[in-house]
Amino acid sequence: VKRLHSAEGTEIVPRPPVVTVMGHVDHGKTSLLDALRQTSVAAREAGGITQHLGAFVVVMPSGASITFLDTPGHAAFSAMRARGAAVTDIVVLVVAADDGVMPQTLEAMSHAKAAKVPIIVAINKCDKPGANPEKVKLQLASEGLLLEEMGGDVQVIEVSALQKSGLDNLEEALLLQAEMMDLKARIDGPAQAYVVEARLDKGRGPLITTIVKAGTLTCGQHVVVGSEWGRIRAIKDMAGRLTERATPAMPVEIEGLRGLPMSGDDVIVVHSEERARMLSSGRTRKSEENRLRRKLN
Ligand code: GDP
């Protein structure tokens, strides 16, 4: 790994892109994520069977990796944005080749634009007899998307989630986009991270899938997550392997929280259990107050 140093001497390293799939209902977001997930590390190691953990990682033959958020649609994206924490670097805009641009296609475009996140278009269902990718391109262009083949910089890839075709082209396009964005993150120092999924496991208690934005999360650290707190007992990668630490853009599953936070919540590291309790109860009080205030208004 090529390592660079910022002015303060902090280590800055290249990091993988974090990708969200958006688009109109029934245009194939879930199918595309399923197809991409099957090309992920976890799927390869588990013989094709994978759990939904909120994120997965695809490693390309070149060794470069791509992190996909596993929650299709706008909810996850909006939740993250509402908390000022755009964890997404690139949006894959799925448009069905037979249906073309629809209301939620435009909505996704405006979300991405507002968050200043670049779009790569995946024209899906290209296997269908009624598919008309050229028409979709014209529609997108007339909505103001500057497509590459028309002299702009938005890449368009034709795929079929059903037949699993065009997926490698899509992955290559994502890596190219990431390269142009020159994504880097600070690796030293306290971690700043976000929850992409939270769930309760009978035996292991609250589990969160989290993506580090900057710094490194380490086993044993005291954390406050939203208004919950705890101490990191175990960190696993998306293939279920135990690891000591989590670095930027690699999703991990964390065990050791006392309660269940929400997706989009931030993860911060504090130096003692006492600080964790204090910050957590302060945040709980504040969110109670906000709820009351909303009720009164
Ligand atoms: P979502 O609502 O955007 O998540 O869409 P889904 O992934 O649930 O897909 C909606 C429907 O389109 C399902 O019946 C899928 O089987 C079908 N579908 C998705 N991708 C393709 C594709 O590439 N080709 C064809 N023919 N059908 C597809």
Side-chain angles (χ1 to χ4, degrees), residues 127-188:
D127 59 285
K128 279 191 145 185
N132 191 346
E134 292 312 315
K135 186 173 156 198
V136 176
K137 289 177 199 172
L138 289 175
Q139 287 178 332
L140 290 168
S142 76
E143 292 297 339
L145 218 53
L146 304 169
L147 308 185
E148 204 174 39
E149 55 201 81
M150 300 173 187
D153 52 13
V154 177
Q155 301 182 77
V156 182
I157 312 295
E158 295 178 22
V159 302
S160 164
L162 196 71
Q163 297 187 336
K164 300 187 176 37
S165 61
L167 300 182
D168 39 1
N169 292 342
L170 179 59
E171 291 168 352
E172 288 300 342
L174 285 163
L175 281 185
L176 181 64
Q177 179 69 45
E179 208 177 298
M180 291 188 299
M181 294 167 78
D182 199 19
L183 301 170
K184 291 198 174 78
R186 162 177 66 81
I187 190 164
D188 312 314

Side-chain angles (χ1 to χ4, degrees), residues 21-34 72-73 94 96 98 104 123-129 159-165:
V21 171
M22 297 175 86
H24 196 73
V25 66
D26 278 346
H27 280 197
K29 297 180 292 296
T30 312
S31 309
L32 184 61
L33 280 168
D34 285 345
V94 179
D98 52 345
Q104 287 168 294
I123 302 185
N124 188 34
K125 308 198 187 186
C126 285
D127 59 285
K128 279 191 145 185
V159 302
S160 164
L162 196 71
Q163 297 187 336
K164 300 187 176 37
S165 61

Side-chain angles (χ1 to χ4, degrees), residues 202-275:
K202 259 195 213 141
R204 297 161 65 206
L207 298 177
I208 58 170
T209 299
T210 178
I211 295 184
V212 173
K213 268 295 258 199
T216 300
L217 266 183
T218 312
C219 250
Q221 282 178 330
H222 298 280
V223 288
V224 175
V225 183
S227 38
E228 304 298 336
W229 64 280
R231 184 173 195 180
I232 302 177
R233 191 163 56 219
I235 303 180
K236 284 183 179 172
D237 68 15
M238 291 293 100
R241 286 175 301 225
L242 279 168
T243 154
E244 273 303 302
R245 54 187 58 84
T247 51
M250 301 306 293
V252 289
E253 183 187 76
I254 283 175
E255 188 179 317
L257 289 187
R258 303 295 186 105
L260 202 61
M262 288 184 294
S263 31
D265 278 349
D266 60 337
V267 180
I268 53 174
V269 176
V270 292
H271 55 70
S272 68
E273 180 173 321
E274 196 193 353
R275 292 283 305 167

